[in-house]
Each structure stands twice: as structure tokens, then as C-alpha cells.
Amino acid sequence: MAQQITSLQYDTAKQSIRNIFVKINLLDFNYMIVDSLEGYVLNGTISIDANSDIRRTCEISFVITDSTFVIQAGGEMWLDKLCQVFCGVEDAKTSEISWTNMGIFLINQLNYTYDAVTKTVKIQGVDLMARLTGLRNGVIKEISSSGYALIPVGSNVREAIIGILEENNFSNYFISECLNTDGEIQNVPYDMKFEQGTTWYDVLCELRDILPNYQIYFDINGAFRYEPIPYTTDEPIMIDEDIWKNNVISETVDVNFEEVKNVVEVWGRVHETDYYSDATTTTISGSSILPTWLGLAELEDYIITALTLPSDIESDTITISFLGDYIIKDSSGNNITSLEADTYYMFSYQPEEYWLFLGGEQAFGVYKDENPESPFYVNGSIGEIREVLYGDEYENIISDDLALQRAKYEIYKRCRLNDSISLRSIPIYWADVNWKVQYTPLGEEVTNEYMIQSISTPLTIDGLQNFNLSRFYPLYPII
């Protein structure tokens, strides 16, 4: 979620002459201020990377003038303290300082230098995700007698994430529901098992990756967020030429050809079943399929079955008539409207009383970059460059529909994110990653839309900020 930019922040980002200030608040784990350091920063950098486990990091050197300031257990700066960094720009007209919160950090490394003149402290900070990755706690403490921790199939993703956060003493969070493209809630699609030594971050990542377009991170106020990545056409423009033209110094176009793939195949889980009805034991009546699954006397939740049709079937709603009439849907909640003869299909019965269409014996999806405006268009001069993904995390993909969604996302990462540009700019302190922006490359007249992937912000008066922007292509266009 984008932070709200004030008019003062916006106006001071357009000033040609700027007086810069840096302030550091020391906080306890309840986010209460225990001390403040202002005006003593020698140098430093705030880095933000949308594709990193720990999104925000900092490195700051500052001078201590307070003789009572100590680095020890119970002192102002220790393992039990956080630092919150603010950058300020003085308004040229009113002299009011526009402060921008740059984030809240755990102190990861600390270096203290003392001489007869000054006391200098250098800190390296990481955002609060470090409390879940194992860097600073986060390893699952208790494993059941089965030897693993379990999130059962059918669990609500939002509730599972909240449970993990509260287990780790986080009370400040904003957790969305896990929604498919049609707005239906996607529950945990399989039993998630985690062995000894797993971190809570590993568990959160597996929950995040159920659908490919979600992100987890800690925001500038130290709140954990689980929400969709802004990949749709209706995302607001956060920075446009009105700001860039006053700040950009230079640009570099960077394309990593090694990483470019414009055709992606995703092979998911291989399913097994004891219940199969072949074409000779399966009949069709109107829009209903009547299989013969010998030995199946009761429809248990998540039971997997298979069948082959004797002829094609097409209808707005196709049902399976076996121990009741139940509609067939895909993983996005859409009705399956056609199935072909002589094809092996698999299904899973769901607690909501419908059959989930899994696809074939192994979940499979393929997607190509067929956007004629893309420089990596499959029918363009470069042809097809294929990537095949399988095993490991992909084995958790249970249906053709989820495999196709993942293939679309992998195209976005492996193809479209390589259509990028790097900018060096006078600092725009309030900019953030995963923002959609408009930018006109230097010397050109066409304005394009980009997503900010990473930012490196200096804390010195004369430092330049580095942006990496990737060309914006909507993952799920609004119809």
C-alpha cells in the first residue's frame, strides 16, 4: 500500500536548492521512542528492493555528542532497540521541514569508534522481516510428534498468516484475503508440511506463493503486509514527469539477455487416485457426466478421482453426477464449460460441494509473451526462448489453472522485468518500490509506464539516488 504524500513533500521534491536533514529515533519493540539523534549523521544509505526477502536495509554513520550515550545491554542502542530514520527537506518559502519516514530497522551490526575528539557509531540495519527469517529469531520452536508442522488443506490463508504473526508477537499488520482473479477466496490447496529447522518466513513464503501475484513485506511504519502486487491497469501513477524533470540526472538502459525467456512451461504436482472411470464406463447425459468409480461409497473432502469421456461435452455448467450432482470449477472459481473426449482428466472434491478441475495427471500450464508491443514478442525477431520449470516449489501447484497463473507470473519476471531502465536522481525521499510511475526517457518523446523495483537513497547532502525501473505490463488487465 502506497504511503500518502503531502503537498509539502511533493513541493520540496521540486526545489532546485535544498537544505537536507536526517533524524534517527531509537524505539523499543512497542515502537515507543526512547531517544532521538538529529543532525549528527556523517553518511549513510537506505536501500529498498521489492524482490528481496528483507525489503529495507540501511547503513548509517553518525557522531555521538551525548556523553551519557552508551552501547550496552539496557543502553540506548542494543539488541532490544529499533531505529527509525527520517529524511527532511526545508521548504524554501516557509522554512518548514518536510520529514519523510524512511523505515524502521533492527540493528544488525554495530561498530563504535572513539578518539579524543569524537565518538562515531556505524550501524547496519535490516527491516523487521529479520525476526522471521532466522537472522534474528524466526525458527519454528515446536514440532508435533509427527515430526513436522502442518497447515491443513482448506485453511484460510489470511487466518494462517495472522496466526503466524501473533505466534511471533507481531500485532501491527494488514492482511488481505487470498483472492483469485474472479474475487473468489483461495484457501490452502494442499497440506503444507514443514520440518525441523524451518523458519516462519519459509512458511509465510509458501502461503504467499499459493497465488503468484501476492507480496509480503514490512512497511515504513513497521507493519507487516500481505497484499496483491500492483500489476493491474487501474493502479495509480505515483510519480510523473512533473517530479522526474526536476530531479533525474542520467539514465542507463539495462537488459540481461541471459535471463530473458518469452515462453514458460510450468509442470506442477503429479496426482494419484484409486478411482478411475474410463470411456467405456463413463456416460454423458446433457450437461452431466456420469462416471463409474468402483469402491467409492462416500465423497470425502479433497478426494481425487479421474475419468475419460466417450465424447466431447460443452455447457455453461458441467456437473459430475456421482453420489449427488456437483458442478465442476477451476482454481479461480470459474465454471468449466468444455471437456474433450479421450482425454484423461482428474478432479478433487471440495468442502464447498463442487469438483475442482485439476487437469491431467500432472498440473501443467504454458504461457507466451504474445504482446506485440513487448521487445520480447514471440513472433518478433527473437522468436521463442523457452524455460521449463518443475520440481521443488512447483510441485505445490495442484491444478492446470494455478500452473497457468504461475507461468504468466514467471513470464513477467523472466521477460518483462528485464525491460528496464536505471536512473540517477536528486533524492526523492518519499518514493517507494512497487509503485507505478510514468517516465519519458531522455531524448525521447514517448512516455512509458514503469514499476519501481529498487531504490538506493543516500543520506549525504550531495549524494544521488539510484532507481531501477521495469517496464509496466499489466499481469491481469481489467476487462
Side-chain angles (χ1 to χ4, degrees):
M1 180 180 179
Q3 58 178 303
Q4 296 297 314
I5 306 306
T6 67
S7 59
L8 184 60
Q9 286 176 302
Y10 190 89
D11 291 341
T12 53
K14 296 165 64 176
Q15 291 181 176
S16 58
I17 299 176
R18 302 178 192 176
N19 290 327
I20 307 300
F21 302 86
V22 178
K23 177 174 64 175
I24 300 175
N25 286 337
L26 299 179
L27 315 177
D28 60 22
F29 273 27
N30 293 317
Y31 302 158
M32 301 298 293
I33 298 174
V34 297
D35 207 339
S36 183
L37 306 170
E38 186 174 343
Y40 307 123
V41 173
L42 297 174
N43 56 64
T45 303
I46 305 288
S47 298
I48 318 172
D49 188 343
N51 301 301
S52 175
D53 294 348
I54 296 177
R55 177 168 291 194
R56 281 179 161 78
T57 60
C58 71
E59 186 169 306
I60 306 171
S61 296
F62 54 93
V63 175
I64 299 299
T65 59
D66 184 353
S67 61
T68 65
F69 188 92
V70 293
I71 299 174
Q72 62 183 27
E76 290 91 339
M77 191 166 290
W78 196 245
L79 289 169
D80 60 345
K81 298 298 189 298
L82 307 170
C83 63
Q84 183 177 31
V85 182
F86 290 86
C87 289
V89 181
E90 185 179 40
D91 184 273
K93 297 177 181 178
T94 66
S95 297
E96 181 181 357
I97 297 177
S98 169
W99 290 105
T100 296
N101 180 6
M102 304 298 290
I104 295 177
F105 303 89
L106 284 166
I107 301 170
N108 188 43
Q109 293 187 28
L110 186 61
N111 179 270
Y112 177 66
T113 302
Y114 172 80
D115 60 35
V117 180
T118 63
K119 298 178 183 179
T120 302
V121 173
K122 180 179 180 180
I123 63 171
Q124 291 182 0
V126 293
D127 73 24
L128 297 178
M129 195 67 79
R131 290 178 58 189
L132 297 165
T133 63
L135 184 63
R136 184 77 62 80
N137 287 327
V139 178
I140 298 177
K141 293 182 293 186
E142 297 180 2
I143 298 294
S144 66
S145 58
S146 63
Y148 54 81
L150 175 68
I151 299 179
V153 60
S155 300
N156 180 273
V157 175
R158 181 177 185 274
E159 292 176 0
I161 291 176
I162 290 174
I164 291 170
L165 295 175
E166 293 181 345
E167 172 72 19
N168 288 274
N169 299 315
F170 288 104
S171 58
N172 188 12
Y173 49 76
F174 298 90
I175 312 299
S176 302
E177 288 285 2
C178 181
L179 300 177
N180 281 297
T181 54
D182 66 345
E184 291 288 325
I185 291 177
Q186 171 67 58
N187 290 323
V188 175
Y190 57 90
D191 284 338
M192 291 185 172
K193 298 180 180 180
F194 304 96
E195 298 179 348
Q196 190 80 35
T198 302
T199 68
W200 287 114
Y201 179 75
D202 296 330
V203 181
L204 288 167
C205 285
E206 192 153 336
L207 289 166
R208 176 199 62 194
D209 293 342
I210 290 173
L211 293 181
N213 59 315
Y214 276 78
Q215 60 180 339
I216 55 174
Y217 66 99
F218 280 88
D219 66 18
I220 57 174
N221 296 308
F224 182 94
R225 290 183 178 271
Y226 167 78
E227 62 192 16
I229 300 171
Y231 282 150
T232 57
T233 54
D234 62 345
E235 300 298 334
I237 300 297
M238 300 302 297
I239 303 177
D240 60 17
E241 284 302 304
D242 189 44
I243 291 292
W244 292 125
K245 68 183 180 183
N246 291 283
N247 292 285
V248 172
I249 302 298
S250 64
E251 66 182 40
T252 303
V253 175
D254 182 21
V255 180
N256 185 346
F257 290 118
E258 181 180 353
E259 297 295 325
V260 170
K261 303 292 185 289
N262 60 7
V263 180
V264 173
E265 294 181 11
V266 173
W267 294 86
R269 178 170 298 184
V270 177
H271 299 289
E272 297 179 354
T273 182
D274 294 326
Y275 307 106
Y276 171 61
S277 179
D278 64 24
T280 63
T281 58
T282 302
T283 59
I284 294 176
S285 176
S287 61
S288 295
I289 301 170
L290 289 74
T292 302
W293 288 320
L294 297 177
L296 182 57
E298 181 182 359
L299 294 181
E300 299 178 355
D301 291 347
Y302 309 109
I303 194 167
I304 294 177
T305 61
L307 59 80
T308 301
L309 296 175
S311 59
D312 295 350
I313 184 173
E314 186 172 342
S315 175
D316 291 340
T317 56
I318 299 176
T319 61
I320 292 178
S321 294
F322 185 90
L323 301 178
D325 294 321
Y326 303 107
I327 197 169
I328 307 173
K329 298 182 179 182
D330 65 18
S331 295
S332 295
N334 302 312
N335 292 348
I336 297 297
T337 58
S338 64
L339 296 170
E340 297 178 351
D342 302 319
T343 302
Y344 186 89
Y345 293 119
M346 303 194 76
F347 309 85
S348 174
Y349 184 72
Q350 301 297 296
E352 295 80 9
E353 297 188 335
Y354 71 90
W355 286 99
L356 173 64
F357 179 70
L358 300 177
E361 187 175 8
Q362 183 174 13
F364 173 74
V366 60
Y367 195 72
K368 302 180 179 182
D369 187 348
E370 296 179 318
N371 180 0
E373 297 181 2
S374 170
F376 310 119
Y377 179 44
V378 291
N379 293 322
S381 59
I382 67 172
E384 294 188 359
I385 306 174
R386 186 175 298 267
E387 177 83 353
V388 180
L389 305 174
Y390 60 93
D392 296 329
E393 63 184 284
Y394 303 101
E395 292 180 356
N396 295 324
I397 298 172
I398 66 167
S399 70
D400 286 2
D401 180 54
L402 292 176
L404 177 60
Q405 290 186 43
R406 183 59 179 263
K408 290 180 179 180
Y409 180 63
E410 295 292 342
I411 280 285
Y412 193 94
K413 291 198 304 181
R414 298 168 186 268
C415 180
R416 293 175 176 174
L417 288 188
N418 282 290
D419 185 3
S420 64
I421 189 169
S422 298
L423 307 179
R424 285 176 64 79
S425 169
I426 298 170
I428 306 165
Y429 294 110
W430 40 264
D432 207 345
V433 295
N434 278 343
W435 278 13
K436 186 167 76 168
V437 300
Q438 288 181 336
Y439 179 71
T440 305
L442 299 176
E444 298 184 15
E445 296 182 355
V446 177
T447 299
N448 298 318
E449 293 183 346
Y450 295 88
M451 292 288 290
I452 300 178
Q453 296 298 322
S454 65
I455 307 172
S456 178
T457 304
L459 300 181
T460 52
I461 294 175
D462 56 352
L464 293 178
Q465 194 174 33
N466 294 309
F467 287 87
N468 179 260
L469 313 180
S470 63
R471 185 75 179 272
F472 178 80
Y473 299 92
L475 184 61
Y476 298 114
I478 299 299
I479 306 284

